[in-house]
Amino acid sequence: MFKTRFAIAAVTMIAAFSSAASAQQLLPAPTRQAPAAARPATVSSSRAAACHNGQSFERFLADLKQRAVSDGVSQQAIAEASPYLVYNQGIVNRDRGQRVFGQIFTEFAGRMAAPYRMQQGQQHIKTYAAAFARAEKEYGVPPAVIAAFWGLESDFGANMGNLPTLPSLVSLAYDCRRSEMFQNETIAALKIIDRGDLSADEMVGSWAGELGQTQFLPMHYFNYAVDYDGDGHRNLLRSGPDVIGSTANYIANGLKWRRGEPWLQEVRVTASSFPWDQADLTTKLPRSKWAQLGVTYPDGRPLANDDMPASLLLPMGRMGPAFLAYANFAAYTEWNNSLIYSTTAGYLASRIAGAPPMLRPSAPVAQLPFNEIKELQQHLVRAGFNVGKVDGVLGQASRSAVKAMQIKYGFPADSWPSAELLARMRGRAQPTEAAMPAVR
């Protein structure tokens, strides 16, 4: 999983999965490739010179190996890994070229949280009932939560990636973009070998160095993987029980899951005068307050009249689906900070746990095309907002800036960019959105 630092790559990778993967073997053995498969491309060291003082890759690698030894890695593990510690410019190019797609939430969730994946999740919970029960008892993480990540990240082991891990890690460590991070990840991979969990040639996964059926980066693998099948190894590529226990351990202790609490729940907004500016993950109100504001369950039943804090999440603005996001939803956004991915993962978990399908918008929700979102970001930057990279991707910073401008112009402040907002920021039209109905 690409956690916070790899959200975009994760969603892009997941989008490429085929539904046919569900018919593949449940726990496939990893594809083994000889080191020659990762033979290094010609090293272009101009990028590396700035952060490695002009060191060649060979000199950099020697220093990295010495750092690993100082960190407790044995010479035996380094010798085993050395044939794989080669530079691959193609991996660096791929890292720099990754792009997010502009798919709308209901389309992405419709494919990724499809009924077959929900059914597979429920079947896996039955198949591995003992491991799931143990994980819930020890870590407090419900089976549906684990199963949803398992399904989304690799289709339960059918799509773990087929590239040698060590060349990817060391190439990204030599590149300057995230050098320190991937140096640490490379050393963590060496520690996994040293501990006896995986051999160097078993380390096969995604192009960015993630391993196993829930796609752990090596540091997460080393720190959170547990031996749940009792064979003395932590094998997240082939052992279902190890995958379940390790994923639960990471969610509970790495992502601070709150035992016994909900994560995401679909709701409906019924009040015509709803204060849309309150719909934000940074705004937390008791359920009783949301009920007073006109929020109900999808079937019209009233919300629980209690003090459980929650945020109102509108992944497609006020005309799309609505959810109450509880404290545990933070675990999803930490796992992957893409709002589309994290909301889909939470929704899939709720479906596996027995929730009905989400309500569909009564009419298509208009979405600005990529080039117009990028143009809107440029206008927002000129207006003094920090939207991060102007890239046509509607991230949290862009959504916050959109909300601020909606408030300024008197539009319903639901953080969803509209043609009316773009026209107003272009200075070529007056707002018309304020007169639109506010009820979903």
Side-chain angles (χ1 to χ4, degrees):
M1 67 204 138
F2 284 136
K3 318 291 183 305
T4 303
R5 295 161 296 196
F6 286 101
I8 292 174
V11 177
T12 305
M13 176 187 70
I14 291 167
F17 285 171
S18 168
S19 61
S22 61
Q24 296 185 30
Q25 184 180 357
L26 172 61
L27 297 175
T31 303
R32 295 176 183 244
Q33 291 181 266
R39 188 171 293 120
T42 302
V43 175
S44 175
S45 62
S46 59
R47 289 175 176 169
C51 57
H52 301 305
N53 298 318
Q55 281 185 331
S56 66
F57 174 73
E58 290 73 19
R59 180 67 258 171
F60 165 80
L61 182 60
D63 289 348
L64 184 59
K65 288 179 178 179
Q66 186 55 51
R67 180 178 161 190
V69 170
S70 300
D71 210 16
V73 177
S74 71
Q75 291 288 354
Q76 181 179 352
I78 291 175
E80 178 184 341
S82 286
Y84 296 85
L85 296 174
V86 294
Y87 184 85
N88 186 334
Q89 182 65 44
I91 294 296
V92 174
N93 293 345
R94 189 166 181 174
D95 179 58
R96 291 176 174 273
Q98 57 180 302
R99 285 276 305 276
V100 128
F101 60 91
Q103 196 164 36
I104 204 162
F105 166 70
T106 48
E107 294 175 357
F108 181 78
R111 187 178 74 254
M112 302 309 298
Y116 87 88
R117 193 168 273 129
M118 175 196 71
Q119 294 159 5
Q120 281 194 329
Q122 293 170 339
Q123 183 57 53
H124 277 69
I125 291 171
K126 293 178 181 177
T127 301
Y128 295 99
F132 276 112
R134 178 183 171 189
E136 186 167 23
K137 181 179 179 181
E138 292 182 352
Y139 299 112
V141 182
V145 173
I146 301 167
F149 281 126
W150 196 359
L152 286 177
E153 291 291 345
S154 73
D155 259 338
F156 304 98
N159 290 284
M160 292 185 287
N162 59 4
L163 293 176
T165 299
L166 291 169
S168 292
L169 294 173
V170 77
S171 298
L172 294 172
Y174 185 59
D175 185 55
C176 286
R177 195 162 84 87
R178 289 168 294 180
S179 178
E180 185 64 26
M181 171 189 163
F182 276 101
Q183 289 180 58
N184 292 334
E185 296 294 348
T186 303
I187 293 172
L190 296 174
K191 289 181 177 180
I192 293 169
I193 296 169
D194 210 10
R195 192 166 64 181
D197 293 335
L198 297 173
S199 62
D201 70 334
E202 285 179 309
M203 285 188 164
V204 174
S206 75
W207 67 266
E210 294 176 322
L211 287 163
Q213 299 188 31
T214 46
Q215 295 287 279
F216 277 17
L217 283 166
M219 287 187 68
H220 290 133
Y221 196 123
F222 185 76
N223 290 328
Y224 296 105
V226 295
D227 174 20
Y228 248 37
D229 61 13
D231 69 353
H233 304 282
R234 304 161 185 85
N235 193 319
L236 305 190
L237 281 73
R238 295 192 298 276
S239 170
D242 287 4
V243 169
I244 292 164
S246 303
T247 305
N249 185 22
Y250 174 66
I251 293 171
N253 295 309
L255 304 181
K256 309 305 180 187
W257 186 266
R258 297 163 68 129
R259 183 187 292 265
E261 295 189 13
W263 56 93
L264 191 72
Q265 193 169 40
E266 189 183 9
V267 293
R268 184 181 178 195
V269 180
T270 60
S272 59
S273 58
F274 188 82
W276 295 106
D277 62 319
Q278 297 298 295
D280 196 295
L281 288 177
T282 63
T283 299
K284 301 182 189 304
L285 300 175
R287 277 193 292 208
S288 57
K289 180 62 176 177
W290 289 120
Q292 292 173 16
L293 291 173
V295 178
T296 70
Y297 292 119
D299 60 4
R301 289 181 298 115
L303 296 180
N305 187 30
D306 60 23
D307 293 331
M308 173 73 74
S311 301
L312 184 63
L313 172 61
L314 304 175
M316 294 163 56
R318 71 195 186 285
M319 307 306 290
F323 301 90
L324 283 186
Y326 297 95
N328 275 332
F329 187 66
Y332 289 89
T333 56
E334 280 294 314
W335 181 293
N336 188 314
N337 72 356
S338 161
L339 187 63
I340 290 178
Y341 178 96
S342 56
T343 307
T344 298
Y347 168 65
L348 177 58
S350 73
R351 292 280 287 132
I352 293 172
M358 78 174 84
L359 296 176
R360 293 294 172 175
S362 57
V365 178
Q367 182 182 32
L368 292 179
F370 172 85
N371 63 316
E372 291 190 356
I373 292 178
K374 190 171 182 179
E375 180 189 351
L376 179 61
Q377 289 175 319
Q378 293 168 339
H379 288 298
L380 292 168
V381 169
R382 285 194 286 270
F385 293 97
N386 178 11
V387 300
K389 189 176 180 182
V390 176
D391 55 4
V393 177
L394 190 66
Q396 187 56 49
S398 294
R399 289 174 66 96
S400 296
V402 165
K403 173 181 280 193
M405 294 308 297
Q406 287 172 329
I407 292 172
K408 176 179 178 180
Y409 293 139
F411 294 164
D414 62 357
S415 303
W416 187 248
S418 64
E420 288 81 9
L421 178 62
L422 177 58
R424 181 61 182 265
M425 296 203 73
R426 285 170 172 164
R428 295 205 298 263
Q430 295 299 313
T432 61
E433 193 172 348
M436 294 175 63
V439 179
R440 178 179 163 257

